[in-house]
Amino acid sequence: MARRQESARGSMPLSELLNSTESRAMASFGVRDLDTMLRFAPRRYVVPAPLRSLREIHQGEEVSAIVEVTSVHDRAMRSRHGFILEVTVSDGTETLPLTFFLTKKHQVQWHRDRLPVKARILVRGTVGYDDYRGALQLAHPDYEPVEDTPQGRAWAQRPRPVYPLRRNISQKTMRAATEKGLEFADSLTRPVPEKVLSRRGLPPLAEAAQLVHRPLTVEDTRRGLAHLRFEEAFVLQAIFAQRRAQDERTPAPVLAAEGPLQGLFDQRLPFILTEGQREIGASIVERIGRGHPTSVLLQGDVGSGKTVVALRAMLRAVDSGHQAALLAPTEVLAEQHHRTLTTLLGELSRAGQLDAHPEATRVRLLTGSQRTAHRRETLLDVTSGQAGIVVGTHALLTENVEFASLGLVVIDEQHRFGVDHRRRLRTKGPAGQSPHVIVMTATPIPRTAALATVGDLDVLTLRESPGQRAGVTSFVVHEKLPAWEQRMWQRAAEEIAADRQVFVVCARIDEDDAADDAPAPPVLDEYGRPQAPALAPARGVTQTARRLAERAELAGARLGVLHGRLTGEEKQEIMGQMVRGEIDLLVSTTVIEVGVDVPNASVMIILDAERFGVSQLHQLRGRVGRGEHAGIAFFDTSAEVGREHSAHLQRVADAADGFALAELDLHRRGAGDLVGEEQSGLQRTLTHLDVLRDAQAIERAREDAFAVVAADPELTAHPALDGAIADRLRDADPDVERS
């Protein structure tokens, strides 16, 4: 399907609607047109205090009252520069002074113009006490004109939207801009068909915008936001529906052969496959045996045996006369996978060598840092078809990598790759065919999150473990309790003395490199004021290695360093030394986060653990306890004992498996972070949806969107939806082409 040029953002540019201050305020959030502005929802609402009689108010209370201005006076301050404006108001039973302390004369006039005698206003504020007069007052209250009618009173009690702010932007500016936009709400593009909205009991878009930005009741806000959430889910599901429909129309190699490599490999396995591995394997076999491409998400906890399941599918591709590719996010992980596959396959992976099995294939590794001669030799094997299985990094995606007949692609740690990466590999199939795709993750995604983030994939889940690992016990270590930290290093030394190995992970490479840890932009509260930073500066690999070399507990330990600035050969050599047992303690960045397999490693120490995401912590602790020795993971933190970061780390430490952690991460951070920062895909732009709260809306939107696309695959009758899809894909990744 050719990419459409229509856009849902053909609506009014804000530069034609707002003044320069308002336009700049909205542009700071990336909002530059009417469609986007009226979908830019408040972060929360403030419900005013109930209307009160002035006779009933007390110091310190929040008060809302409908009053009439009875007098206005101003005077210059005696002790400092500025003016005091005093406005006396009455509700017919009692009077109350409103006091404004102003620095400029024009500010006095501005308020005078809006508060003439006999003006009826709604006033809101906190009741204070004037020590000089010995009476109650309201200092700098909010006010606006109002009618003392049932409608006016309802308006006075309406929830007030509170928008996100940046520095030097006021709520007044954000509200004023949105109010101007509401006058043109009828011109908004409407991607959800009216029939769908009616069937689901949702208000039309123009009404929903009014309910969101100018509500009269809390229920209004719920109804308005329900439309925005459903609309977002509907557009997402329409994208997934189109992708699935396209897959149904696309030819793919039929991977249906039964042997011989598959049977020979099963005979070589030193363990018995679990029931889950067999069931998932059979499901994959059925899918890749079809004549159109399958798209599967294979998820399972660390150590659940996903690699073996994927390898059996890859061998089926080779047996069927095609090739299989395994794509890994880093060179370290690609090299690890290559070692794992060749070890599992043994003589079955050494075609062309003297000790190869007669039915063997070749397993090749392709990374960006390979030497030219080695790379040329690998590319020749890939192009000729001699290499049945190819393991690589993003280097596999380049145009000069041509497969003889690519039938299956396995992508490890799918959250590191975008939708576009999957689609680019799809173009490398034979003779206009598209290879089947299996993406794997050890960060399980709850079902509703999967529907909202990877809804174009069929989710298959491995829940049991082969049971060959000793497992990991996790502890939170507080640096503010020095005895705990000392015991952590002592415990690491004890494991080294027992001929086992230790990982120490840091959040950055070098503490002295400003570019390596650039200061984060200030976090602002809802009033635009910067908040104090929550985290201390992170420690670096370089300095940590030096400090550990000086610790008495680790005297004599062989230390190594691994990080992303090393060359590919250097990283490979360091990991080789670790695997061979020539390094006792490896200080590293998260380059070892996924896939690295050192069965003798028994301790994982994560410094500044509060800086890492839930899935990262779980992946890192999964690097130990992979063999016969039980693993220990220490989450070292400078956070205060019992405070937010500390309590969060304790919840991660207590979680039994990746499925429990996935729910925890989803509650804490939302689907976007759950599936990873590097994922260039639709979930990064989730704005209104909460995949836990809105599970029912997502299910309904999926049903409706798939029905609309099934009836009109090209969306000829739904140009607004077609444009919204183009916008969504562009927001998710500017380089993504509509397939």
Side-chain angles (χ1 to χ4, degrees):
M1 188 189 307
R3 184 175 180 178
R4 302 283 179 85
Q5 297 301 316
E6 296 92 340
S7 171
R9 299 202 183 136
S11 66
M12 183 184 302
L14 294 186
S15 58
E16 298 179 8
L17 177 66
L18 309 179
N19 63 38
S20 59
T21 300
E22 294 162 348
S23 292
R24 285 196 301 270
M26 286 295 174
S28 71
F29 293 98
V31 176
R32 292 181 172 84
D33 58 77
L34 181 67
D35 267 302
T36 310
M37 183 173 72
L38 293 189
R39 288 174 170 86
F40 187 66
R43 60 181 299 193
R44 64 185 180 90
Y45 295 88
V46 174
V47 179
L51 291 173
R52 304 275 295 279
S53 164
L54 296 184
R55 282 184 174 176
E56 301 171 346
I57 65 175
H58 300 281
Q59 184 178 354
E61 289 183 336
E62 289 291 322
V63 63
S64 296
I66 293 177
V67 294
E68 183 178 290
V69 177
T70 59
S71 66
V72 182
H73 302 283
D74 67 85
R75 68 177 189 276
M77 297 187 197
R78 294 178 180 176
S79 57
R80 56 191 174 98
H81 177 73
F83 304 88
I84 297 176
L85 175 66
E86 295 176 332
V87 180
T88 304
V89 297
S90 170
D91 64 355
T93 64
E94 190 64 78
T95 61
L96 183 71
L98 313 181
T99 307
F100 300 86
F101 300 93
L102 307 169
T103 58
K104 306 289 185 181
K105 187 66 176 178
H106 72 83
Q107 295 173 327
V108 176
Q109 190 58 48
W110 188 89
H111 284 287
R112 273 185 166 275
D113 290 343
R114 285 156 182 77
L115 293 169
V117 173
K118 294 191 177 179
R120 188 164 292 277
I121 61 171
L122 166 70
V123 64
R124 302 188 196 91
T126 302
V127 181
Y129 192 77
D130 183 346
D131 292 321
Y132 179 75
R133 293 183 177 180
L136 299 177
Q137 68 171 0
L138 287 182
H140 288 280
D142 290 330
Y143 65 87
E144 61 182 303
V146 70
E147 295 180 4
D148 194 4
T149 63
Q151 293 82 2
R153 288 178 173 271
W155 177 249
Q157 291 296 101
R158 73 193 188 282
R160 298 273 284 173
V162 178
Y163 296 94
L165 297 178
R166 304 252 194 247
R167 188 183 294 275
N168 299 325
I169 298 174
S170 68
Q171 281 295 332
K172 178 183 173 183
T173 299
M174 297 294 288
R175 288 170 177 165
T178 307
E179 283 289 327
K180 289 180 181 178
L182 287 175
E183 301 306 313
F184 300 89
D186 287 333
S187 67
L188 293 173
T189 54
R190 299 180 289 277
V192 185
E194 295 296 332
K195 290 182 179 179
V196 173
L197 294 175
S198 177
R199 182 166 64 251
R200 297 303 183 188
L202 294 168
L205 179 57
E207 180 185 346
Q210 296 283 348
L211 296 173
V212 167
H213 298 289
R214 196 188 284 165
L216 287 178
T217 65
V218 172
E219 180 57 30
D220 283 351
T221 69
R222 296 193 184 106
R223 291 184 61 232
L225 290 171
H227 178 112
L228 297 185
R229 290 165 184 156
F230 185 88
E231 178 187 277
E232 183 170 40
F234 184 83
V235 173
L236 282 173
Q237 298 306 322
I239 293 172
F240 297 144
Q242 282 193 321
R243 287 179 177 164
R244 286 178 177 260
Q246 182 189 347
D247 285 347
E248 291 289 335
R249 300 191 299 269
T250 303
V254 176
L255 309 181
E258 293 293 339
L261 283 173
Q262 298 161 82
L264 292 170
F265 173 67
D266 285 350
Q267 292 172 19
R268 278 186 52 83
L269 281 176
F271 51 83
I272 299 174
L273 296 173
T274 66
E275 187 64 28
Q277 285 174 314
R278 291 190 178 278
E279 289 181 3
I280 297 297
S283 180
I284 290 175
V285 162
E286 189 273 328
R287 284 172 163 81
I288 63 178
R290 302 170 185 168
H292 56 82
T294 189
S295 297
V296 168
L297 172 64
L298 174 58
Q299 65 175 7
D301 205 354
V302 174
S304 60
K306 299 181 296 299
T307 303
V308 170
V309 172
L311 178 53
R312 294 177 81 229
M314 288 190 279
L315 292 175
R316 193 173 189 84
V318 177
D319 282 338
S320 300
H322 299 282
Q323 294 166 290
L326 194 160
L327 182 63
T330 66
E331 291 194 359
V332 169
L333 183 52
E335 290 156 1
Q336 174 73 54
H337 274 309
H338 184 255
R339 284 194 297 270
T340 299
L341 298 190
T342 53
T343 300
L344 286 170
L345 289 170
E347 68 271 16
L348 297 177
S349 67
R350 296 195 285 266
Q353 300 181 30
L354 292 176
D355 60 346
H357 190 281
E359 303 290 347
T361 187
R362 290 183 189 175
V363 179
R364 280 297 204 173
L365 174 67
L366 185 66
T367 65
S369 66
Q370 282 178 327
R371 292 182 176 177
T372 303
H374 189 188
R375 181 180 177 84
R376 187 180 299 117
E377 181 183 333
T378 297
L379 287 173
L380 182 61
D381 276 354
V382 173
T383 303
S384 67
Q386 294 295 313
I389 297 176
V390 185
V391 182
T393 57
H394 291 77
L396 290 178
L397 301 173
T398 59
E399 292 181 0
N400 64 338
V401 179
E402 296 183 4
F403 290 83
S405 183
L406 183 61
L408 175 66
V409 176
V410 177
I411 301 176
D412 194 22
E413 291 308 316
Q414 66 90 24
H415 64 282
R416 301 293 191 91
F417 295 97
V419 173
D420 190 42
H421 293 127
R422 299 207 308 257
R423 298 283 149 177
R424 266 189 273 167
L425 278 169
R426 279 280 177 84
T427 67
K428 294 183 176 289
Q433 295 182 311
S434 177
H436 303 277
V437 175
I438 300 171
V439 293
M440 301 192 300
T441 180
T443 307
I445 305 174
R447 182 176 181 277
T448 55
L451 288 181
T453 59
V454 288
D456 56 338
L457 303 176
D458 293 326
V459 180
L460 302 178
T461 303
L462 276 171
R463 290 194 170 271
E464 54 186 321
S465 172
Q468 298 180 325
R469 301 183 178 187
V472 184
T473 305
S474 304
F475 300 93
V476 179
V477 175
H478 295 89
E479 293 181 16
K480 289 183 168 57
L481 302 174
W484 291 29
E485 187 181 23
Q486 184 178 16
R487 178 55 187 149
M488 176 180 73
W489 296 115
Q490 289 174 346
R491 191 70 185 83
E494 291 167 5
E495 291 294 299
I496 292 172
D499 292 327
R500 293 188 276 276
Q501 292 162 285
V502 176
F503 286 112
V504 177
V505 174
C506 302
R508 59 192 291 205
I509 298 173
D510 195 325
E511 296 166 17
D512 298 327
D513 189 346
D516 188 48
D517 190 31
V523 177
L524 307 181
D525 64 19
E526 64 192 60
Y527 300 105
R529 298 174 302 211
Q531 300 183 34
L535 304 176
R539 281 163 290 188
V541 169
T542 306
Q543 290 80 3
T544 297
R546 286 203 295 264
R547 293 176 193 127
L548 295 183
E550 298 172 356
R551 287 196 74 98
E553 302 97 326
L554 300 174
R558 297 167 297 177
L559 272 61
V561 167
L562 181 68
H563 53 70
R565 291 185 189 162
L566 301 177
T567 66
E569 290 184 352
E570 288 172 331
K571 286 186 279 190
Q572 190 169 3
E573 174 57 25
I574 291 293
M575 282 309 304
Q577 292 176 13
M578 191 71 177
V579 171
R580 295 191 297 270
E582 297 168 7
I583 292 176
D584 297 318
L585 185 151
L586 182 64
V587 186
S588 172
T589 58
T590 55
V591 69
I592 62 155
E593 177 185 343
V594 292
V596 172
D597 190 10
V598 182
N600 193 49
S602 60
V603 177
M604 170 63 68
I605 297 174
I606 305 171
L607 302 180
D608 304 303
E610 67 276 6
R611 286 183 169 268
F612 295 85
V614 169
S615 61
Q616 279 187 308
L617 294 172
H618 185 54
Q619 289 278 8
L620 288 169
R621 70 176 174 186
R623 300 308 102 207
V624 299
R626 301 173 70 87
E628 60 180 304
H629 308 299
I632 308 171
F634 294 108
F635 299 158
D636 182 274
T637 178
S638 59
E640 294 284 345
V641 180
R643 299 294 291 271
E644 179 186 354
H645 289 302
S646 168
H648 170 64
L649 289 173
Q650 191 60 56
R651 287 192 290 271
V652 176
D654 293 341
D657 56 37
F659 293 93
L661 282 172
E663 292 287 349
L664 171 64
D665 206 10
L666 191 57
H667 277 288
R668 184 171 187 255
R669 299 194 300 164
D673 290 324
L674 175 65
V675 294
E677 293 180 357
E678 297 184 29
Q679 170 80 21
S680 59
L682 305 168
Q683 65 280 358
R684 290 196 69 185
T685 56
L686 289 184
T687 302
H688 306 293
L689 280 175
D690 180 304
V691 296
L692 290 176
R693 178 197 61 209
D694 302 322
Q696 187 178 64
I698 293 170
E699 296 269 12
R700 291 175 174 175
R702 186 176 182 82
E703 177 186 336
D704 294 335
F706 272 67
V708 167
V709 171
D712 182 8
E714 301 292 331
L715 299 178
T716 306
H718 303 281
L721 175 57
D722 190 59
I725 288 173
D727 283 340
R728 193 54 182 256
L729 293 173
R730 185 167 56 250
D731 285 346
D733 186 340
D735 298 324
V736 167
E737 292 289 329
R738 284 193 60 185
S739 17

